[in-house]
């Protein structure tokens, strides 16, 4: 995402040349593999840290470019939204104190970013999804002003041929349409990289797929989106739907999602995975490339495979194969993209060590995954873990087992052996895998959020709940204590509510009537629910009017009127406000018009109602 491609024209001539470069890159990669030129015999680890920027009210702050300029460090880069930043950590050889070194560098860079952000009136939070993010921050004005991002948005919208749709069902349900890819910006992750010897790549890749559900389940940290309690790791559903370019049709046809887990075990070589992706997905970004990778290779230099890497950056496998060149030597990596950001740095490093230990400790019996497990089995494990997290019942080697038992009895011992085999410091192994064991027994970041979200909802308005929850996450994050030791919010923070906008205090679970409903039904609904005003919608779901008790009080004496329609008595010229209308403005409107409530609308769609009682 971070490459700016400032010189790109994105025209047909550039596209034609790019396609040829992409095909040449595949041939060059195959030659590198055939001639055994891919680096082996050494294993390195690396990571990318995405983060959220918040203002002092704990809401998204679009100051990423300002913070980036102030930090002035090449480890930092932009993200799609102006309230997100990314840190690219240095690679470290997998041995000795490598995880402590990753942790130290990450803390140093985060502290640097925090200092500069604070000077600009912003704070930094590590979280899979920022609880306080709202529809308001998904507008195009929050997209980082870089040509590549605008082009990505334009091409993905064109591919889809319609607005992006979001529908996720958990405890609550979120259904929404949007006109840009900024749904994707709600996600922040801690992406893990592991260098893999070329001869072991396919075995390692298939193993990474097999363990993904279990690793995800114990790392969940994103249960909330826009005030709805959804999946334990909502990012999985959100990311796929936010970049979904498939066209909806009445025909039942097979279409491959740009974000996905895959559909089968891999075989042969990494080049075959890239060929499959090029065959399945449209090229959406291009850039000018000066030299053919085949020419570079023939001249005795290692090619960077620029076209392949740019294309690969727009196909979002949860386990993504990667090619890179470091110190003049080509290498292959697996990028783990499903781990959420946060809850703390120490939790993230523990996740990192657990995944790497599992990867490096793979027992020999799992060298050929296709012979012992159906691919559909591991794919379903991944989706189930995203939905239910630590409480998931998985299928492993054809038998049901709880995620907790699988991790404690099977995967932690494998991870311990894998890290020991790589000569990682025993102190770090015990410290980091001990956190995973404790979290498996006591609870994940997602569970902490859900427990406190539910508790706070009993005390205050939804908007205040999200702010207080975010505030508590930020406070706990500074302590750097692992999430399984975090106190509950009610013990840590005394809630204090401050409201500015109508959307913060409006009621969203509404009773509604329709124009053709009868008055006797309307009267009963209002009496049963002790409400004095009720909005009326038309067949298109648009606000058509407002029915108030004062308009129907005298109807008991007039039987004919009691059998009339709602449309006959409702107020048709309704005074409305928007979610971002100031509360003072709404109060003045009620006073000026001598009314007790105001419907809250986005366009012609009713999203809430605010009454004098709310104010």
């Amino acid at each position: 995402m971070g490459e700016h491609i400032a010189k790109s024209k994105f025209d047909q001539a550039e596209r034609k040349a790019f396609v040829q470069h992409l095909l040449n890159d595949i041939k060059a990669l195959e030659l590198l593999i055939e001639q055994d030129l891919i680096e082996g015999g050494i294993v390195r680890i690396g990571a990318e840290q995405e983060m959220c920027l918040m203002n002092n009210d704990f809401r998204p702050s679009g100051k990423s470019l300002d913070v980036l300029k102030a930090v002035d460090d090449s480890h930092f880069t932009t993200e799609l939204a102006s309230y997100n930043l990314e840190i690219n950590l240095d690679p470290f050889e997998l041995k000795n104190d490598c995880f402590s070194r990753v942790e130290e560098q990450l803390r140093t860079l985060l502290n640097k970013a925090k200092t500069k952000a604070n000077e600009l009136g912003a704070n930094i939070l590590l979280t899979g999804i920022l609880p306080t993010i709202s529809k308001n921050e998904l507008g195009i004005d929050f997209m980082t002003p870089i040509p590549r991002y605008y082009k990505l948005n334009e091409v993905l919208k064109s591919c889809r041929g319609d607005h992006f749709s979001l529908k996720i069902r958990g405890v609550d349900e979120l259904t929404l349409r949007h006109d840009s890819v900024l749904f994707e910006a709600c996600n922040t992750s801690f992406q893990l990289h592991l260098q893999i010897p070329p001869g072991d790549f396919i075995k390692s890749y298939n193993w990474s797929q097999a363990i993904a559900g279990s690793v995800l389940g114990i790392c969940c940290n994103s249960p909330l989106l826009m005030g709805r309690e959804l999946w334990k790791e909502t990012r999985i559903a959100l990311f796929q739907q936010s970049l979904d370019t498939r066209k909806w049709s009445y025909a039942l046809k097979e279409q491959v999602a740009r974000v996905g887990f895959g559909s089968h075990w891999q075989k042969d070589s990494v080049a075959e995975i890239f060929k499959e992706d090029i065959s399945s997905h449209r090229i959406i970004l291009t850039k000018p490339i000066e030299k053919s990778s085949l020419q570079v290779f023939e001249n005795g230099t290692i090619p960077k495979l620029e076209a392949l890497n740019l294309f690969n950056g727009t196909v979002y496998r949860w386990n993504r194969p990667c090619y890179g060149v470091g110190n003049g030597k080509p290498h292959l990596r697996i990028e783990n993209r499903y781990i959420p950001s946060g809850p703390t740095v120490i939790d993230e490093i523990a996740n990192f060590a657990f995944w790497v230990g599992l990867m490096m400790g793979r027992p020999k019996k799992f060298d050929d995954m296709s012979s012992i497990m159906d691919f559909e089995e591991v794919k379903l494990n991944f989706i189930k873990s995203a939905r239910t997290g630590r409480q998931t019942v998985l299928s492993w080697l054809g038998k049901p087992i709880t995620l907790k038992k699988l991790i404690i009895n099977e995967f932690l011992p494998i991870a311990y052996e894998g890290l020991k085999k790589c000569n990682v410091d025993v102190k770090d192994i015990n410290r980091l895998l001990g956190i995973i064991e404790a979290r498996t027994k006591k609870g994940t970041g997602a569970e902490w959020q859900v427990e406190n979200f539910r508790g706070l909802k009993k005390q205050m308005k939804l908007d205040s709940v999200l702010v207080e929850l975010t505030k508590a996450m930020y406070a706990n994050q500074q302590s750097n204590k692992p999430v399984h030791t975090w106190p509950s919010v009610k013990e840590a923070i005394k809630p204090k509510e401050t409201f500015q906008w109508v959307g913060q205090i409006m009621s969203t679970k509404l009773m509604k009537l329709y124009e053709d409903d009868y008055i006797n039904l309307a009267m009963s609904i209002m009496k049963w629910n002790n409400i004095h005003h009720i909005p009326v919608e038309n067949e298109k779901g648009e606000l058509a009017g407002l029915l108030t008790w004062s308009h129907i009080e005298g109807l008991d004496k007039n039987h004919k009127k009691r059998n009339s329609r709602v449309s006959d008595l409702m107020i048709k010229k309704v005074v409305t406000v928007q979610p971002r209308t100031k509360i003072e403005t709404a109060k003045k409107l009620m006073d000026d018009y001598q009314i007790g409530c105001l419907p809250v609308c986005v366009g012609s769609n009713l999203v809430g109602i605010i009454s004098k009682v709310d104010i």
Side-chain angles (χ1 to χ4, degrees):
M1 278 294 204
E3 190 177 351
H4 293 185
I5 324 180
K7 298 178 182 177
S8 292
K9 296 179 181 177
F10 303 114
D11 58 15
Q12 285 304 311
E14 182 178 287
R15 185 178 183 84
K16 183 178 179 181
F18 183 86
V19 169
Q20 189 57 55
H21 282 297
L22 183 59
L23 299 178
N24 289 345
D25 284 358
I26 292 292
K27 292 178 184 176
L29 176 61
E30 289 178 318
L31 288 171
L32 288 165
I33 294 171
E34 285 172 15
Q35 297 182 27
D36 198 24
L37 294 174
I38 304 287
E39 186 178 36
I42 187 170
V43 178
R44 298 182 184 88
I45 58 174
E48 301 168 60
Q49 175 72 72
E50 295 175 352
M51 66 199 81
C52 298
L53 288 175
M54 309 179 298
N55 60 26
N56 292 326
D57 293 326
F58 296 91
R59 303 182 193 279
S61 172
K63 293 186 175 181
S64 64
L65 292 182
D66 295 332
V67 174
L68 201 62
K69 183 179 179 181
V71 169
D72 190 25
D73 188 318
S74 61
H75 289 93
F76 290 80
T77 187
T78 58
E79 275 290 315
L80 182 63
S82 59
Y83 42 79
N84 292 336
L85 274 177
E86 179 177 285
I87 298 174
N88 293 303
L89 300 176
D90 295 329
F92 293 93
E93 189 175 346
L94 179 58
K95 64 179 184 179
N96 304 335
D97 62 347
C98 60
F99 288 104
S100 287
R101 294 173 69 193
V102 171
E103 183 180 356
E104 182 182 1
Q105 185 186 38
L106 179 54
R107 288 189 191 286
T108 300
L109 292 171
L110 279 172
N111 287 336
K112 192 174 183 180
K114 287 175 183 176
T115 299
K116 297 300 180 183
N118 290 161
E119 290 172 3
L120 293 164
N123 297 298
I124 285 173
L125 185 70
L126 305 182
T127 180
I129 297 174
L130 183 64
T132 52
I133 201 166
S134 69
K135 185 74 162 55
N136 186 61
E137 287 84 34
L138 300 183
I140 201 76
D141 50 326
F142 276 95
M143 184 176 286
T144 304
I146 289 175
R148 181 183 183 187
Y149 298 141
Y150 290 119
K151 187 62 181 178
L152 182 71
N153 182 57
E154 177 189 326
V155 175
L156 289 176
K157 282 175 65 178
S158 176
C159 289
R160 183 163 174 80
D162 195 0
H163 287 168
F164 293 89
S165 299
L166 188 65
K167 185 168 185 176
I168 309 174
R169 181 180 296 165
V171 174
D172 301 318
E173 185 172 342
L174 180 62
T175 305
L176 199 59
R177 299 187 77 203
H178 194 48
D179 59 358
S180 82
V181 298
L182 271 169
F183 273 146
E184 188 272 338
C186 296
N187 299 290
T188 41
S189 58
F190 184 56
Q191 294 158 19
L192 317 178
H193 292 256
L194 177 64
Q195 185 175 341
I196 304 292
D200 194 55
F201 192 87
I202 292 301
K203 293 176 184 177
S204 289
Y205 188 83
N206 285 337
W207 175 239
S208 75
Q209 295 280 76
I211 65 176
S214 302
V215 175
L216 173 65
I218 205 58
C219 299
C220 289
N221 191 41
S222 315
L224 306 172
L225 177 60
M226 298 186 193
R228 271 71 169 181
E229 183 186 333
L230 302 169
W231 293 12
K232 286 296 188 291
E233 192 52 47
T234 302
R235 286 172 48 261
I236 301 303
L238 174 61
F239 195 69
Q240 176 164 329
Q241 294 184 40
S242 65
L243 292 174
D244 193 354
T245 57
R246 294 173 295 179
K247 291 180 170 67
W248 290 15
S249 73
Y250 289 104
L252 182 62
K253 58 182 181 180
E254 197 77 26
Q255 299 183 77
V256 181
R258 264 199 120 79
V259 178
F261 188 79
S263 58
H264 57 86
W265 296 117
Q266 297 297 330
K267 54 185 179 180
D268 300 326
S269 80
V270 66
E272 300 306 312
I273 305 178
F274 290 133
K275 287 178 182 178
E276 179 183 329
D277 287 341
I278 293 169
S279 303
S280 303
H281 301 290
R282 186 174 178 180
I283 297 167
I284 60 174
L285 287 178
T286 61
K287 71 173 186 177
I289 298 172
E290 292 182 6
K291 294 182 180 179
S292 162
S293 56
L294 288 175
Q295 283 182 317
V296 171
F297 182 72
E298 288 167 7
N299 292 337
T301 306
I302 297 300
K304 292 184 178 180
L305 309 187
E306 293 181 70
L308 179 60
N309 282 336
L310 177 56
F311 173 80
N312 193 41
T314 65
V315 177
Y316 306 94
R317 288 178 178 266
W318 292 114
N319 285 303
R320 179 194 270 168
C322 297
Y323 168 91
V325 180
N327 299 318
K329 296 180 180 179
H331 65 265
L332 297 173
R333 307 187 307 277
I334 293 175
E335 179 189 11
N336 176 332
R337 299 179 47 80
Y338 54 80
I339 302 293
S341 182
T344 62
V345 168
I346 191 63
D347 279 304
E348 291 182 330
I349 302 300
N351 295 341
F352 200 177
F354 180 49
W355 180 68
V356 169
L358 269 175
M359 289 296 296
M360 300 307 296
R362 183 185 79 237
K364 191 166 181 56
K365 69 177 181 178
F366 295 111
D367 283 358
D368 182 10
M369 289 303 309
S370 62
S371 67
I372 56 175
M373 284 184 77
D374 288 334
F375 186 82
E376 291 76 10
E377 194 175 3
V378 301
K379 186 173 183 178
L380 183 58
N381 283 345
F382 186 77
I383 298 300
K384 286 166 68 177
S385 290
R387 286 181 180 273
T388 54
R390 196 172 63 107
Q391 310 304 325
T392 306
V393 176
L394 304 170
S395 176
W396 187 250
L397 301 179
K399 296 180 180 178
I401 184 172
T402 66
L403 183 138
K404 298 174 191 176
K405 282 186 179 179
L406 185 60
I407 288 178
I408 297 293
N409 298 336
E410 302 285 341
F411 282 2
L412 274 172
I414 292 173
Y416 271 104
E417 289 304 313
L419 294 177
K420 285 178 184 175
K421 186 173 73 173
C422 297
N423 296 314
V424 174
D425 286 352
V426 173
K427 185 179 178 181
D428 274 353
I429 296 175
N430 293 334
R431 176 175 68 103
L432 298 172
L433 295 188
I435 289 172
I436 297 297
E437 182 175 355
R439 193 194 306 156
T440 304
K441 293 175 179 176
K442 296 181 180 179
T444 63
E447 290 173 84
W448 183 90
Q449 285 189 47
V450 166
E451 178 187 344
N452 288 285
F453 175 71
R454 293 177 181 176
L456 287 171
K457 275 203 303 182
K458 297 171 183 176
Q459 305 172 35
M460 59 187 82
K461 290 273 187 180
L462 178 60
D463 183 80
S464 294
V465 170
L466 299 174
V467 170
E468 291 301 324
L469 189 66
T470 306
K471 195 185 297 184
M473 290 164 62
Y474 178 75
N476 282 314
Q477 203 165 97
Q478 309 318 303
S479 72
N480 199 44
K481 293 178 181 176
V483 72
H484 68 268
T485 68
W486 283 11
S488 62
V489 176
K490 63 178 179 292
E491 295 171 0
I493 295 172
K494 185 178 179 180
K496 181 182 178 182
E497 298 181 337
T498 56
F499 303 116
Q500 184 178 2
W501 311 107
V502 162
Q504 295 174 276
I505 63 172
M506 68 184 183
S507 300
T508 55
K509 293 185 177 178
L510 307 176
M511 300 287 174
K512 292 181 288 187
L513 293 170
Y514 297 90
E515 290 178 299
D516 59 353
D517 281 334
Y518 289 101
I519 286 295
N520 56 353
L521 174 63
M523 291 178 67
S524 297
I525 291 174
M526 293 170 88
K527 283 179 179 178
W528 294 337
N529 294 281
N530 193 29
I531 50 179
H532 296 86
H533 28 250
I534 190 164
V536 183
E537 290 186 347
N538 60 23
E539 291 180 353
K540 296 179 182 178
E542 301 168 328
L543 181 67
L546 186 72
L547 188 67
T548 70
W549 188 255
S550 60
H551 285 81
I552 55 176
E553 272 184 315
L555 291 185
D556 284 341
K557 300 173 183 177
N558 191 327
H559 184 71
K560 288 183 180 179
K561 280 191 177 180
R562 287 189 65 187
N563 290 318
S564 58
R565 306 284 181 118
V566 165
S567 57
D568 298 331
L569 288 175
M570 70 183 187
I571 302 166
K572 294 179 181 177
K573 292 184 179 180
V574 184
V575 182
T576 65
V577 289
Q578 299 175 355
R580 296 292 284 184
T581 300
K582 288 193 172 183
I583 293 172
E584 293 88 341
T585 304
K587 184 176 185 301
K588 188 174 186 307
L589 284 171
M590 287 189 199
D591 291 340
D592 289 348
Y593 286 94
Q594 292 295 298
I595 51 180
C597 75
L598 289 167
V600 186
C601 296
V602 174
S604 58
N605 292 293
L606 180 73
V607 295
I609 197 164
I610 181 173
S611 69
K612 284 185 174 179
V613 174
D614 295 318
I615 290 177

